[in-house]
Amino acid sequence: MRTDLASCKDRSKELVRSIRVLVRSKLELELGSKRVLVRSKQELELGSKQELLRSKLVLVGSTS
């Protein structure tokens, strides 16, 4: 009987450890995905601003 109880406790601890690892992995993936999205958004915004400046420079150059 005592062996069964000890075995159950060991399995319980192992399950808790596994759940913690899964939760940590999920959070790391979500955080990584958010970083990639933010970086992509910033790159797009910067590219759009640069393109707008180029267009303005071309307009100013063509009116001179």
Side-chain angles (χ1 to χ4, degrees), residues 21-37:
V21 168
L22 285 171
V23 169
R24 191 177 308 122
S25 297
K26 182 180 182 225
L27 290 173
E28 288 172 357
L29 278 172
E30 287 175 355
L31 183 60
S33 296
K34 286 179 184 174
R35 284 184 186 143
V36 168
L37 284 173

Side-chain angles (χ1 to χ4, degrees), residues 26-58:
K26 182 180 182 225
L27 290 173
E28 288 172 357
L29 278 172
E30 287 175 355
L31 183 60
S33 296
K34 286 179 184 174
R35 284 184 186 143
V36 168
L37 284 173
V38 168
R39 194 176 311 123
S40 296
K41 182 182 176 201
Q42 288 172 341
E43 289 171 358
L44 280 172
E45 288 173 351
L46 181 61
S48 296
K49 288 177 184 175
Q50 288 174 340
E51 191 60 37
L52 185 61
L53 281 173
R54 260 188 239 119
S55 298
K56 285 181 179 179
L57 287 173
V58 168

Side-chain angles (χ1 to χ4, degrees), residues 12-26:
S12 245
K13 287 179 184 178
E14 187 63 33
L15 283 171
V16 168
R17 248 184 258 122
S18 296
I19 289 170
R20 285 183 181 154
V21 168
L22 285 171
V23 169
R24 191 177 308 122
S25 297
K26 182 180 182 225

